[in-house]
């Protein structure tokens, strides 16, 4: 599951790109990061096979959900209210 998150999460790859730039002052593309992760960092059995395919589908489905929620919020122009937020009671009129 972790390999799928690392390989298919844009935010993780952006963080890796920023860290490489900070440490080495080199600009690297997403393709270079992806290839290095696949060839040099992650074990083959974590990125290939049935379990890897299931994990990849789960990660992609989850990332699509968050993108959909963010786009719905952007289209309406107002942030969605969560059920957890409690509104403050109206101010009392008496002094």
């Amino acid at each position: 599951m972790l390999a799928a998150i690392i390989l298919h999460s844009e935010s993780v790859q952006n963080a890796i790109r920023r860290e490489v730039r900070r440490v080495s002052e080199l600009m690297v593309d997403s393709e270079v990061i992806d290839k290095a992760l696949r060839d040099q960092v992650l074990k083959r059995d974590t990125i290939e096979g049935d379990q890897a395919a299931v994990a990849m589908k789960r990660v992609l489905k989850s990332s699509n959900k968050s993108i959909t929620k963010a786009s719905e919020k952007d289209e309406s122009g107002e942030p969605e209210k969560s059920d957890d937020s409690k509104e403050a009671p109206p101010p009392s009129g008496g002094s």
Side-chain angles (χ1 to χ4, degrees), residues 9-10 17 21 35-36 53 63:
S9 173
E10 187 176 328
R17 185 180 312 112
R21 186 175 357 149
K35 183 169 177 21
S63 66

Side-chain angles (χ1 to χ4, degrees), residues 1-29:
M1 180 64 123
L2 187 57
I5 293 170
I6 291 170
L7 290 174
H8 299 287
S9 173
E10 187 176 328
S11 60
V12 171
Q13 291 207 359
N14 286 339
I16 292 171
R17 185 180 312 112
R18 280 192 309 270
E19 189 64 17
V20 168
R21 186 175 357 149
R22 184 184 71 79
V23 172
S24 66
E25 297 181 8
L26 295 174
M27 296 291 292
V28 293
D29 294 329

Side-chain angles (χ1 to χ4, degrees), residues 12-76:
V12 171
Q13 291 207 359
N14 286 339
I16 292 171
R17 185 180 312 112
R18 280 192 309 270
E19 189 64 17
V20 168
R21 186 175 357 149
R22 184 184 71 79
V23 172
S24 66
E25 297 181 8
L26 295 174
M27 296 291 292
V28 293
D29 294 329
S30 297
E31 296 83 24
V32 173
I33 293 170
D34 189 66
K35 183 169 177 21
L37 289 172
R38 287 179 185 274
D39 296 347
Q40 300 172 9
V41 178
L42 299 172
K43 292 177 69 173
R44 173 176 265 170
D45 59 333
T46 63
I47 58 176
E48 294 178 359
D50 294 338
Q51 289 181 338
V54 170
M56 181 183 68
K57 288 178 185 176
R58 187 172 175 189
V59 168
L60 293 175
K61 183 178 177 182
S62 175
S63 66
N64 287 339
K65 282 183 182 179
S66 64
I67 290 171
T68 303
K69 285 183 181 181
S71 66
E72 287 173 359
K73 183 172 75 171
D74 291 343
E75 288 174 5
S76 69

Side-chain angles (χ1 to χ4, degrees), residues 86-92:
K86 296 180 181 171
E87 295 181 21
S92 60

